[in-house]
């Protein structure tokens, strides 16, 4: 474990769901180049200490990978913030073996899209069972 990797891990631990640019800006004063940050993010993902989350039409975001902490994500369509949400016990989202023969699933990333409470309030929306509606 190198000092740059520890610094990158420290940023992600205190600011989950940030992109590489945020990490680079945060560590610029420590003398880490953008290339160093990107390389260390890739290395930490490769060894399983970080998880790269890649929502559609968005930069890759990073969070700590903690053994046994499997969860899904909620993405606000307006502010693009990402929130963790628990997996529903007993719900299997992986395809069955007959869907694609000889395909081994090694991970599942689920994104739920909607509007966060802050954005809903700013836009005069109220929560409803299926999402949000104008108030």
């Amino acid at each position: 474990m190198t000092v740059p990797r520890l610094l990158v891990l420290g940023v992600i631990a205190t600011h989950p769901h940030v992109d590489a640019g945020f990490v680079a800006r945060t560590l610029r004063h420590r003398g880490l180049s953008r290339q160093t940050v990107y390389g260390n993010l890739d290395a930490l993902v490769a060894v399983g200490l970080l998880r790269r989350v890649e929502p559609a039409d968005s930069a890759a975001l990073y969070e700590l990978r903690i053994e046994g902490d499997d969860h899904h994500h909620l993405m606000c369509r307006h502010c693009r913030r990402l929130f963790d949400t628990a997996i529903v016990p007993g719900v299997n989202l992986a395809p069955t073996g007959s869907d694609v023969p000889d395909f081994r699933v090694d991970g599942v990333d689920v994104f739920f899209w909607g509007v966060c409470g802050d954005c809903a309030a700013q836009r005069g929306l109220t929560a409803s069972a299926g999402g949000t509606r104008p108030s």
Side-chain angles (χ1 to χ4, degrees):
M1 185 61 69
T2 65
V3 170
R5 289 182 186 169
L6 289 172
L7 291 170
V8 168
L9 281 172
V11 172
I12 303 298
T14 56
H15 300 88
H17 306 138
V18 294
D19 63 21
F22 177 90
V23 178
R25 287 187 303 278
T26 302
L27 295 176
R28 185 177 336 149
H29 75 283
R30 299 295 302 260
L32 270 68
S33 71
R34 201 168 189 76
Q35 181 177 357
T36 298
V37 168
Y38 277 83
N40 281 288
L41 286 167
D42 287 344
L44 291 165
V45 168
V47 297
L49 293 175
L50 289 182
R51 179 178 179 194
R52 180 182 293 118
V53 180
E54 300 181 71
D57 300 326
S58 182
L61 306 172
Y62 296 88
E63 64 185 6
L64 294 179
R65 180 175 289 287
I66 300 170
E67 187 71 30
D69 177 25
D70 292 325
H71 60 273
H72 298 309
H73 293 98
L74 307 168
M75 172 68 88
C76 179
R77 291 187 185 279
H78 296 285
C79 68
R80 307 297 284 182
R81 281 188 300 167
L82 192 69
F83 303 88
D84 292 339
T85 186
I87 291 177
V88 178
V91 174
N92 182 5
L93 297 176
T96 64
S98 62
D99 292 336
V100 181
D102 300 324
F103 190 90
R104 182 172 112 9
V105 175
D106 62 12
V108 177
D109 285 319
V110 176
F111 290 91
F112 297 96
W113 295 85
V115 181
C116 71
D118 291 343
C119 289
Q122 290 173 2
R123 289 167 172 73
L125 303 172
T126 58
S128 67
T132 57
R133 59 184 157 82
S135 57

